[in-house]
């Protein structure tokens, strides 16, 4: 259920401030939170703990609910692992996503370590999808060798697979945008500042347009949703305490009611900072249910009014 929202289009010579228009805003959800916990997280205990596994049935049910509930895209990061004793850089995200493509997703994306054999395996697995469109995601920064990834990008496109680059706004502003926009079809951006996101989006879309290509910028947004803003803030603090690290560090976030989250989505897209939002829920299925039953209907209703 792609929603239509007002956004600022890329500036032109005739309109340097950008043109306000209605745009199809993509809304997705990252389900990496359903990963098995890493054994490394418990190494300080000095205990030989039993191997634990991620719940595949729960992952399937959440993916199915997300798709039937109107989300456009489901994603898994390379940190996702089906068992807690996996080493870093496993292919669990891709292998698991290849099994999830029958859930009816309009789109799906899995992050892949940037190693040639793993990239080739990912193309082979995700090219077998029957419905919707698939995307392989790679992490990039200002030191990445973009030219070395050209053959991978070509092979992915030949197989009918999109390529998405996941990176921070700071890295985007230091990269060769001509090379970057020739390589990827979308950028998954991480920043807390919508104005910085808009600067990155305008620069990326302009560089892509010069090559006759289109490019979407999707922004990660962490969410904690409750019946009141106070309850959401308290739950966010509790989760931070459990995780012993800042919640959604370096990413956009919306902590509050379904109305607060809908407002945040409208603000980011209306400012021209994003073509779509990737929700990163603090907990499942609580926040997923609130997105499907509350945030999406609100966005759809607002788009119909406009």
């Amino acid at each position: 259920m792609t929603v239509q929202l007002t956004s600022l289009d890329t500036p032109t010579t005739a309109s340097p401030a950008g043109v306000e228009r209605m745009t199809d805003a993509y809304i997705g959800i990252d389900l990496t939170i359903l990963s098995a916990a890493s054994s490394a997280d418990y190494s300080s205990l000095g205990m030989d703990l039993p191997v634990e596994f991620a719940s595949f049935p729960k992952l399937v049910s959440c993916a199915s609910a997300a798709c039937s509930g109107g989300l456009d895209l489901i994603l898994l990061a390379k940190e996702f692992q089906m068992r807690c004793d996996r080493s870093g850089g496993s292919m669990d995200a891709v292998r698991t996503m290849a099994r999830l493509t029958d859930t009816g997703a309009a789109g799906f994306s899995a992050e892949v370590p940037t190693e040639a054999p793993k990239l080739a395996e990912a193309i082979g697995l995700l090219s077998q999808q029957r419905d919707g469109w698939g995307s392989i995601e790679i992490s990039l920064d200002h030191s990445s060798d973009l030219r070395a990834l050209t053959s991978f990008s070509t092979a992915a496109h030949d197989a009918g697979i999109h390529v998405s680059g996941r990176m921070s706004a700071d890295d985007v502003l230091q990269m060769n945008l001509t090379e970057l926009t020739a390589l990827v079809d979308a950028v998954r951006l991480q920043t807390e500042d919508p104005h910085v996101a808009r600067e990155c989006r305008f620069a990326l879309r302009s560089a892509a347009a010069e090559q006759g290509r289109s490019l979407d910028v999707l922004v990660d947004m962490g969410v904690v949703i409750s019946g009141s803003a106070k309850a959401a803030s308290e739950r966010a603090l509790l989760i931070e305490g459990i995780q012993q690290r800042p919640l959604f560090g370096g990413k956009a976030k919306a902590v509050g009611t379904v109305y607060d989250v809908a407002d945040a989505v409208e603000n980011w897209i209306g400012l021209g900072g994003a073509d779509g939002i990737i929700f990163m829920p603090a907990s499942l299925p609580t926040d997923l249910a609130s997105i499907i039953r509350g945030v999406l209907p609100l966005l759809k209703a607002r788009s119909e009014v406009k």
Side-chain angles (χ1 to χ4, degrees), residues 29 33-34 58 62 223-225 235 239 243 247-248 280-291:
I29 188 164
I33 192 175
L34 295 175
K58 184 174 183 179
C62 286
V223 292
V224 179
I225 309 173
R235 189 155 70 89
I239 294 171
Q243 296 181 347
L247 194 60
F248 313 130
M280 305 189 73
S283 61
L284 288 171
T286 304
D287 290 322
L288 173 59
S290 296
I291 290 168

Side-chain angles (χ1 to χ4, degrees), residues 94 118-128 136 151-152 155-156 159 161:
V94 177
K118 294 179 178 181
L119 291 170
E121 180 183 352
I123 292 172
L125 286 169
L126 296 184
S127 63
Q128 298 172 23
I136 291 176
S151 59
F152 148 69
I161 299 173

Side-chain angles (χ1 to χ4, degrees), residues 32-86:
T32 306
I33 192 175
L34 295 175
S35 169
S38 172
S39 296
D41 294 341
Y42 304 99
S43 59
S44 61
L45 297 176
M47 299 172 61
D48 185 15
L49 298 175
V51 174
E52 293 188 357
F53 296 84
S55 171
F56 189 71
K58 184 174 183 179
L59 183 60
V60 170
S61 66
C62 286
S64 298
C67 298
S68 62
L71 287 164
D72 302 300
L73 181 64
I74 56 174
L75 306 93
L76 289 175
K78 64 184 178 184
E79 291 80 17
F80 177 86
Q81 50 191 22
M82 283 303 297
R83 48 187 293 164
C84 68
D85 58 345
R86 293 282 198 229

Side-chain angles (χ1 to χ4, degrees), residues 197-219:
R198 178 174 63 180
E199 180 182 355
C200 290
R201 176 174 173 266
F202 284 176
L204 287 162
R205 288 173 64 87
S206 294
E210 289 176 2
Q211 302 179 68
R213 305 189 72 219
S214 61
L215 182 144
D216 292 319
V217 175
L218 309 177
V219 169

